[in-house]
Amino acid sequence: MTVKYVYAFSEGNAGMKELMGGKGANLAEMTKIGINVPPGFTITTEACNQFQGTGEILDGTWKQVLKAIKKLETQTDKGLGDSKNPLLLSVRSGAPVSMPGMMDTVLNLGLNTETVKGMIEKTNNERFVYDSYRRFIHMFSNVVLGLPHSSFDDILDKSKADAGVELDSELNADQLKKLVDDYKVIVKNSGLEWPDDPIMQLRLSIEAVFKSWDLKRARVYREANGISHNLGTAVNVQSMVFGNMGQNSGTGVTFSRNPSTGENKIYGEYLMNAQGEDVVAGIRTPLPISDMEKALPDIYKKFWDIVDRCEKHYGDMQDMEFTIEEGELYILQTRTGKRTASAAIKIAVDMVIEGIIPREEALMRIEPSALNQLLHKRLDLSGGEKEAAIGLPASPGAAAGEAVFNADEAQRMKEEEGKDVILVSPETSPEDIHGMIASEGILTSRGGMTSHAAVVARGMGKPCICGCGDLKIGKGECYIDDLVIKEGDWVTLDGTTGKVYKGQVPTIDPEMTSEFKVFMNWADSISRMTVKTNAEVPSDVQVAKDFGAEGIGLARTEHMFFGEDRLPWMRRMVLASTPEERQKALDQLLPMQRQDFEEIFTIMDGLPVIIRLLDPPLHEFLPKDSDEIKELSKALDIPVKTIEEAIENQHEFNPMLGFRGCRLGIMYPEINAMQARAIFEAGLAVQEKGVKPIIQVEIPLIGKLEEFRMINNIIKDVACDMNIAGKLDYQIGTMIEVPRAALTADEIAVEVDFMSFGTNDLTQMTCGLSRDDAGKFLGKYVEKEIYDRDPFESIDQTGVGLLMKICVDKARKIKPDMEIGICGEHGGEPESVKFCHRIGINDVSCSPYRVPIAKLAAAQAVIEERMK
Amino acid sequence: MTVKYVYAFSEGNAGMKELMGGKGANLAEMTKIGINVPPGFTITTEACNQFQGTGEILDGTWKQVLKAIKKLETQTDKGLGDSKNPLLLSVRSGAPVSMPGMMDTVLNLGLNTETVKGMIEKTNNERFVYDSYRRFIHMFSNVVLGLPHSSFDDILDKSKADAGVELDSELNADQLKKLVDDYKVIVKNSGLEWPDDPIMQLRLSIEAVFKSWDLKRARVYREANGISHNLGTAVNVQSMVFGNMGQNSGTGVTFSRNPSTGENKIYGEYLMNAQGEDVVAGIRTPLPISDMEKALPDIYKKFWDIVDRCEKHYGDMQDMEFTIEEGELYILQTRTGKRTASAAIKIAVDMVIEGIIPREEALMRIEPSALNQLLHKRLDLSGGEKEAAIGLPASPGAAAGEAVFNADEAQRMKEEEGKDVILVSPETSPEDIHGMIASEGILTSRGGMTSHAAVVARGMGKPCICGCGDLKIGKGECYIDDLVIKEGDWVTLDGTTGKVYKGQVPTIDPEMTSEFKVFMNWADSISRMTVKTNAEVPSDVQVAKDFGAEGIGLARTEHMFFGEDRLPWMRRMVLASTPEERQKALDQLLPMQRQDFEEIFTIMDGLPVIIRLLDPPLHEFLPKDSDEIKELSKALDIPVKTIEEAIENQHEFNPMLGFRGCRLGIMYPEINAMQARAIFEAGLAVQEKGVKPIIQVEIPLIGKLEEFRMINNIIKDVACDMNIAGKLDYQIGTMIEVPRAALTADEIAVEVDFMSFGTNDLTQMTCGLSRDDAGKFLGKYVEKEIYDRDPFESIDQTGVGLLMKICVDKARKIKPDMEIGICGEHGGEPESVKFCHRIGINDVSCSPYRVPIAKLAAAQAVIEERMK
């Protein structure tokens, strides 16, 4: 049996991509469903692979090609090389995986001195024919004969200069005819033979496309994109159609629905007596596709029908190219159309309602991170603004404001002058919170995606760009190369792309459509995981709840201690030299902390709230510069020297692994006792008001069961002392962020009520990477593909993820139904969320603005699981 | 069948500890092997447990006691309460586990007005009898009747005052008789009934001993020592013997061999006509046991024979108490004798040679860490010196020297003035190396057992005390409370105990005996693991080899860059702003580094040498204070500002998890390339001289296989470039110190030649503990038993150890025979070494002075495994 190397479009279908390439299979599919595609055939990837071995087209293959040509001649009623009614062909590559621009194409094949005459006679358009001919000679000479582009371009330029015109299209028929002659001289002078015989032209063109598979640029592209060198490319030979054959010819591009809004109405443009490139070149203004209804009612009706058929057939919005040749409509290409995020949601929801796709399909259509576009402002770059610098896209959204270089000034400008400001700083610390709150966005020169600025900004839903290395910050001004930005100068940030603009770029507000709500409801109904939020500031908690957060997965109590009314007492607590002094300061903090919890419980009425006890090293609460120390000394009536000694004493080499988390409570039990009391008192207080608090107390940085046990006892002692049994329920659980805790999860599970992965710290410790310092080399790591992605952005599944799986498996052995969550930054990153689902985690928690993203990812995880 | 609650000594043996308690079983054992023990019987722990339930001695038990008394009367030919020939008894507690001083004892039981007379008649020693009687009344009143000691002590004091004497022993018979009468008045006035009937005395005494099991002090002691409350105590009722009955009576204590030297010669003291307490009280000078040979040849011969028999029977050197009562020798106690480390070795080796114990038993007899005593100087504290402060015993040994407060001055005083100095500093850094080399010992106020000072000092075998919190260091002097130590003042350190002494305390040199060598040979012949050393300075390498190190498990190349000739070039390398500048500095370092390796290979001729590539953060090489920066600026002709910026730029928040290890080589491949070249050039050079280098290159801080692969390629490129294939063999392996690497050991194993656990860093990351900072709370952790031991001292087996086991198991699945070692500080800690053996590690590596300790632990691990 002979192997079949050539398939007419009518013999293939969309499932044959591997053999026919993407383009060939798609042309075949359209042909199959009866859409008028210019006829043609595909030479398979197998033929290409065979060619790579031998460097020649086998006789058998060539015979099949000739047979296909014969069939094509019959079908089109034209003849290859026929001087009266010549068949012109396009010869295009088409690999199983798209490799845009990497391989070669020959158009207008079949033209020679004879057929040119026939074409002129037939079209009565000498200019068109000579234009096609000179393009063919140039293309063929370059692709097949290997002559450089420059030889042809030089002559073309000279020809335009001689004619006194600027554009190719301004050359008239005679000038083009002269150009053809000049082109032929180049070929002749090269000593290469010019094939006038269209069959020879075809054979050489096919060989050239096969050869282009093995060109260096194609190999490099495949290596960079992980595409196998063994796939091979198919070759598509298709009869040419022309939209520029007269007033009953034309060409156009259309989307089956509006790609900006998603509206179910075809959307596109067309131009009569024109070729595709004319539409693109913008010399003539194309008409909206709706005009065609009046101008060409029959064709329009036919076209509408095809668009509808294609959309239904592919089950998605289509981006289509068509040509009308002398009144006959041909579809040249149909593919899934690109669209904005809001259009994507509307289209997906509409298609479910229209019965075109099931809900699951709709949910899978949207890339979760694309929701960022919907939830945040974005820039209107129609003015063509160019960025001044690029940093890390640390928190999405767009904002413009006047640059300000410290937190106090930011607050002053906002509050006293009502100005929009952008806080620009080398990095931020918890003490800058008030300035961050006052700012529209934050720009830092240091720090990564999980730096303080990034984490806090994401929590607040404010745009933030971090680690902008080109930015140098001086006194009251900053520099980007030669550009100086002074305090008060306008700056615009696009936190979604990391681009920084000088000046004020207009922004576009997000909108929450009814389709978005429907879509998110579908996601909720499918997903198995609960999505909570990391928030503690009441306004953030409210935002998260509005976004559908089903509770708080992480309320960081330390963030509550930086307020103006609290920090002095917190510092007194840290500087206390006796337990009594410490207790005195804690007594002052207790009612404030209780107030915080009351607000949170009230907003999250009936939903679970995980409150993490004090976590950071105490030195984070101490002042850093000498002015502040002096001020503090005065305020607290403690000698400067004592404060300096305390700061020196609190200094740590590796604070991440130092005196923090549960270790604070083990050394100073009264801190956790105060917090437990504040939580319980708040719980009782809101209960009085008819609110239902669901309390989960979380102990940070547990490495050993014994640590948990000690803090657990402190909390239970407070509960016992307050006699809340039977009056107020609560659970006590632990963060899992120390590798040791994950490894010994079976021991720890025995005594905890719930677990929650702190994947930021877990990643730091498991991978030995300090997130504050890794910026120096992590870029290089990702670039060199040591890590596929920044492990602080997306969970390192094979390393950190393995440890998480060990933990979940061990814990579930002891308590099969225990709540195990994740509250690191990864909780809002789609791949990480899906991974959590796969290893059996129940809860993910993320910053408020990421809640919808996590929800969609959680739903997709279920669907992906079902598809397996 | 009646349960047997009472066992005569002749009915029991050493295996019955649980039932008869330790003392009872031991008395029974001696009785069994025919040693003359004062006869008696034991009431079992079961009877005690029964008593705890009911508060009463059951009738059945009491009947057995009475029967045993009858038998005892027959055996001793005396009668309890017999006015002519009274039997006197001791009633003592004896639990299965020793609880020294926790429970009660009654002696001289059986005395009353009648028997006192009989005793006087029999002994013709009124003073002795009344002295015994007043002691009995006091003891019984206190223990059984619960009257306070003070009542009796007050009267005794008054009686001595009246008599005008100072010591009890100076009271004469009449005065003691009066005292007895006064004591009886106290009892009478208390309203309690005094039992004159010896049987009643016995019953009440037994009950009192049972009750003492449940006293609060005993419960607390058991809780603190993890002893079960359910064990119960036995009661031993034994006939009293007296060494003070005249000139043919006596008492003594002896060791079967010399406990200081191990010499096989009995060693002890005795005193005629005396009681045990007289020997202790030091009023009369006891005679050496050898004098007995002449004075009492028959008894001496008999005694010698018993000592020999006991030693052989128990198979260990015995510590024995004996009494001679009227010419008859009784053994009151025999137990394993305490001894010095050198005696322990000699005794163990001698006993193997004498055929008393097998080699394995000898090896198990020595606590590995006890070898520290043999390898280091120790203090001669016979002058009674008292320490001024206590710090962490960071590196064992003793040293005295003049205090000096910086490294340069230490070097100057040593080199120019030939003085012995002790470097006193808040902490040390690699830049202080020259000062540490010049010093006899190091004392720091900060840092823990694994701080820089500790690690380096252990490597050098120099005493070091770290984290001495009471020490405050000022300019040119330091303070311990009110004590001022100025530069030049003498200080003495005991690194084995952590004690700091003001002044010069004499030291005793270690000695390496022939027995020690034999002993270590036995260890080597049994152990399955190879013991290597962590060393890179040639003198340290030599010491380690002399101690039997079988190779180098870790040569830290960074230690080599702090030399005076190197540091400037290293700094130039760190400060380089282009690869060319960096290369220029590296070119200067290359020959120096090669020289280092040549020396190491030469000493370790034919033994494997693992060389770890540069590991620490580069900022460790930069100067810290402004003077140094200025100096460097001058020397390198680089502006101060540039250096300051570089330092600022290199600053890290958590350097432990920062830019170090393999990350250096990934960013600056030329560093590792230089090191690889130096290693290979050194290998070729020494080979020329007939030395056999066995080269293992080790890549630090690997977390992912891809990291290893990149550095591996750098090394292999150098090897390829040098064309060493076939000329020089080498292996390339990795440290396992990042948890991620351990978790993915199966992936990593595929491409590495060997693995070595860096347990210091692995512990830091797995437990989330910075060893430089943990000092603040780790003490409390150990105190609160969160960790049983400091995890930087002894491997945290359930956490870090579990991760190591996962790693070994995964790696072995891929390469069953691959070398897996450990080179953290734990490699010299006995429990950790044994753990390594159990999880299948092949190699342990430790600082030179710990090599023998590791070897012994490795041997014991094998023996313990066989015993299972």
Side-chain angles (χ1 to χ4, degrees), chain B residues 445-461:
Chain B
S445 55
R446 288 195 217 153
M449 296 290 288
T450 49
S451 64
H452 177 265
V455 172
V456 173
R458 278 199 291 275
M460 294 177 174

Side-chain angles (χ1 to χ4, degrees), chain A residues 307-323:
Chain A
V307 167
D308 193 49
R309 196 134 48 93
C310 279
E311 194 188 81
K312 288 218 171 70
H313 183 72
Y314 287 101
D316 202 354
M317 187 265 269
Q318 295 295 298
D319 167 0
M320 303 174 77
E321 288 172 29
F322 64 92
T323 287

Side-chain angles (χ1 to χ4, degrees), chain A residues 427 446 619 648-660 662-663 666-667 669 701 703-704 706-707 710 738-741 743-744 747 764-774 776-777 780-781 784-788 796-800 802-803 806 810, chain B residues 427 446 619 648-660 662-663 666-667 669 701 703-704 706-707 710 738-741 743-744 747 764-774 776-777 780-781 784-788 796-800 802-803 806 810:
Chain A
E427 60 212 338
R446 288 194 216 151
H619 51 70
E648 165 69 13
N649 207 15
Q650 298 258 0
H651 170 262
E652 293 187 307
F653 295 98
N654 297 291
M656 222 280 298
L657 308 177
F659 183 49
R660 50 171 288 229
C662 64
R663 295 161 192 172
I666 287 170
M667 292 296 278
L701 213 73
K704 279 200 91 173
E706 288 78 0
E707 293 175 306
M710 294 198 80
V738 174
R740 197 188 188 290
L743 287 163
T744 58
E747 285 178 26
Q764 296 198 80
M765 296 184 214
T766 305
C767 300
L769 287 171
S770 161
R771 68 179 184 193
D772 292 321
D773 304 307
K776 237 178 245 176
F777 54 88
K780 188 113 175 184
Y781 262 53
K784 294 210 171 185
E785 294 184 29
I786 291 174
Y787 281 99
D788 301 335
D796 157 39
Q797 297 184 14
T798 51
V800 177
L802 178 62
L803 190 56
I806 290 173
K810 285 191 160 193
Chain B
E427 60 213 339
R446 288 195 217 153
H619 50 70
E648 165 69 13
N649 208 15
Q650 298 258 359
H651 169 262
E652 294 187 306
F653 295 98
N654 297 291
M656 222 280 300
L657 308 176
F659 183 48
R660 51 171 287 229
C662 64
R663 295 161 191 172
I666 287 170
M667 294 294 280
L701 214 74
K704 278 200 92 173
E706 288 78 0
E707 293 176 307
M710 294 196 79
V738 174
R740 198 188 188 290
L743 286 164
T744 59
E747 284 177 25
Q764 296 199 81
M765 296 184 213
T766 306
C767 301
L769 287 171
S770 163
R771 67 178 184 194
D772 292 320
D773 304 307
K776 237 178 250 178
F777 53 89
K780 188 114 176 182
Y781 262 53
K784 294 209 172 188
E785 293 184 29
I786 292 174
Y787 281 98
D788 300 335
D796 158 39
Q797 298 184 13
T798 50
V800 176
L802 178 62
L803 189 57
I806 290 173
K810 284 191 162 192

